Amino acid sequence: MRISHLLPLLRGELVYPGRVSHLVGAPDAVREVVRVEAGLLAGVSTPRGRAFLGIPYAAPPIGPLRWRAPQPVAGWQGECEATRTGSPAVQTIGQGRFAPVSGSEDCLYLNVYTPPGRNDAPAGGWPVMVFLHGGAFALGAADNYDPSLLAAEQRVMVVAPNYRMGAFGFLAHPDMAAEQPDGGSGNFGLLDQQAALRWVRDNVAAFGGDPSQVTLFGESAGAWSTSYQMLSPGAAGLVHRAILQSGTAVDPLSIVPVFEAERAGATFAEGLGASGIEELRALPATQIARAPAIRRGIMGPGSWGPVWGEGVIPTEPARAFAESAFQRMPVIVGTNSDEGRLFGLGIRSHGDFVARVRADWGADADAVLARYPAETRAEAQQAFADVITDARFAHPADRMRRLLAGQVPVYGYRFDDDNAPFALPHPWAPMATRAYHAGELAYVFGTRWVLANPARFAPAQAALARRIRDAWGAFARGEKLGDWPRFTAAEPAVKVLSPNGDRVEADFAERYGCAFWDARSG
């Protein structure tokens, strides 16, 4: 970010200069214009693919539209420049009056990447993959990722939307429920994702995409979102396959009923001096962004995430999946071998570890501390990493696969590269990160992102990355997955994706202590 962009940020203003794909600046890039429902879009086409960036898919959720369901985007005259990404959602690292805030409430934009040559699309169009970014429903953006290689190599179209996050996307409040009886309180970010999926249905054919072959995939909060969309009546018919990378809606700690979230939302408003939703709408975005969350979300107390019990997600997730109250489709559900090591880096002491476990697990904390003993800081970091890996990722993935098995085709994986590239230097990562949370993203996209650069791949890692992309592409195209067996109750097969050679294992549940965590799932 340039200084000229940083200065308004320091004054508390929300600005974003946008980013461009490497395709936009390529010497052989040519301008290409496509007509969508709202008007003309001017993107770029190269021999390596096409990119159309910063496409508005809904009206800006600002002013009176803050905390309302996304509204249709207004059309425009002439050509809309589509060579620079739109702003991410409002987000901050930390709380307090001086916490840095970035992004904008005007964030409902998406990016489109396709293979080269619109005329080279198959008769029915390219299959479409819609990627939902992660970030604990509080951080991140679609433009952190470059799906252009995945699109060109796998002959698929990739769409990556932003969606509202933090309090703007997942605050629940009784006033919101009263003014929007069809649902939304606590789930506006999910409604944004559905608006993006409707845009896909209505517009991808103009780029050469096939709206009848849509795979929704996401990592972390994006995976949680994908599984929630499988449960939402508003997403019915918009998605035909799903890939969950490290996150599911059946994680016991993230299952929050709307009435509980609305009580917390009323307290949140009171803490900002607002007596109701209209006074909250009048507050500056920076003030809301800097206020700490006071309810449980996907990362435990004090974070954000979706809720159930209203129109967007009517039924408690685990019950809904068990009772077949979901959109039936083939699903890949996977995790990484060492998910929690990324989070273990934040443990400062043994006391910190104990406090985190007690905050998350309450009456079960003593049993958890006994199963994961630690005394030193290093041991506490590793113990916390193991708790997060087992409880928040491995066990929910195993639970999800077992709930789906027998109802839809489901496939399991475990990403297992002990040397997955990690961008932060050693002082920031005193514990080896191994196959950490989000470590697979550089393999799925084959392009650089915040935490990893595929340029650092050894040959075996590059080969693994290609196998992963080939599997994701084949799944999106509706093809068989070669030697990857389906997960069933009788044969709980999980494919281990490793640079040392892939294999199939049947002991995933035992490896990660799923029986222990099953007993604490409620």
Side-chain angles (χ1 to χ4, degrees), residues 71-437:
Q71 299 300 302
V73 66
W76 56 82
Q77 298 296 318
E79 296 177 359
C80 176
E81 193 70 19
T83 55
R84 187 174 291 274
T85 60
S87 177
V90 179
Q91 53 198 278
T92 183
I93 298 177
Q95 283 86 40
R97 62 181 296 191
F98 298 113
V101 178
S102 62
S104 171
E105 290 190 80
D106 181 4
C107 64
L108 300 185
Y109 299 91
L110 56 78
N111 306 318
V112 170
Y113 304 83
T114 85
R118 166 68 177 85
N119 295 330
D120 294 334
W126 291 302
V128 181
M129 300 184 73
V130 178
F131 178 71
L132 301 177
H133 70 80
F137 293 108
L139 298 169
D143 66 12
N144 287 342
Y145 310 90
D146 179 0
S148 58
L149 175 64
L150 178 67
E153 181 185 80
Q154 298 302 321
R155 308 297 292 170
V156 297
M157 177 176 169
V158 183
V159 180
N162 291 331
Y163 53 92
R164 282 173 283 182
M165 300 186 297
F168 301 94
F170 297 98
L171 178 67
H173 192 282
D175 289 357
M176 298 178 191
E179 69 183 16
Q180 299 179 87
D182 293 334
S185 180
N187 284 327
F188 294 103
L190 295 185
L191 289 176
D192 294 343
Q193 295 165 8
Q194 290 178 13
L197 289 168
R198 290 192 296 273
W199 185 94
V200 166
R201 177 196 62 196
D202 297 338
N203 292 283
V204 293
F207 301 86
D210 181 355
S212 70
Q213 289 197 78
V214 175
T215 297
L216 187 62
F217 74 126
E219 185 271 338
S220 193
W224 260 278
S225 296
T226 298
S227 58
Y228 273 106
Q229 296 299 351
M230 293 173 64
L231 300 172
S232 181
L238 300 176
V239 180
H240 312 100
R241 301 178 188 91
I243 302 174
L244 312 183
Q245 297 173 211
S246 304
T248 83
V250 301
D251 167 26
L253 284 192
S254 66
I255 297 174
V256 180
V258 66
F259 67 84
E260 178 184 311
E262 287 178 347
R263 283 202 303 263
T267 304
F268 178 89
E270 291 169 6
L272 288 169
S275 61
I277 189 64
E278 289 307 322
E279 290 187 16
L280 274 176
R281 286 192 174 112
L283 293 178
T286 49
Q287 186 177 350
I288 294 168
R290 288 171 174 147
I294 58 172
R295 70 171 175 87
R296 183 182 298 279
I298 68 166
M299 291 315 298
S303 60
W304 299 103
V307 302
W308 67 271
E310 45 74 77
V312 181
I313 307 294
T315 306
E316 188 273 319
R319 176 185 166 194
F321 283 115
E323 296 178 353
S324 297
F326 67 96
Q327 326 300 331
R328 299 170 69 86
M329 64 187 71
V331 186
I332 293 175
V333 182
T335 57
N336 298 350
S337 294
D338 307 285
E339 298 272 6
R341 286 178 174 246
L342 188 65
F343 306 99
L345 298 175
I347 295 298
R348 300 180 298 274
S349 66
H350 176 263
D352 188 23
F353 163 61
V354 172
R356 292 288 300 273
V357 170
R358 293 201 180 283
D360 279 347
W361 295 103
D364 288 319
D366 286 340
V368 174
L369 291 169
R371 183 178 177 87
Y372 300 86
E375 294 183 4
T376 67
R377 178 190 178 188
E379 290 174 348
Q381 286 186 324
Q382 183 60 65
F384 186 72
D386 291 342
V387 169
I388 294 296
T389 296
D390 298 357
R392 305 306 308 277
F393 295 101
H395 169 247
D398 182 72
R399 190 184 191 196
M400 183 75 162
R401 290 190 288 257
R402 292 179 186 277
L403 286 168
L404 294 176
Q407 301 190 75
V408 298
V410 57
Y411 302 86
Y413 77 82
R414 176 165 68 89
F415 172 75
D416 188 46
D417 184 354
D418 284 350
N419 296 300
F422 185 66
L424 298 182
H426 177 75
W428 287 94
M431 175 175 59
T433 49
R434 300 177 61 174
Y436 61 94
H437 182 66

Side-chain angles (χ1 to χ4, degrees), residues 23-40:
L23 298 176
V24 172
D28 53 0
V30 296
R31 187 179 181 87
E32 180 176 350
V33 177
V34 169
R35 178 176 291 278
V36 296
E37 286 191 334
L40 297 174

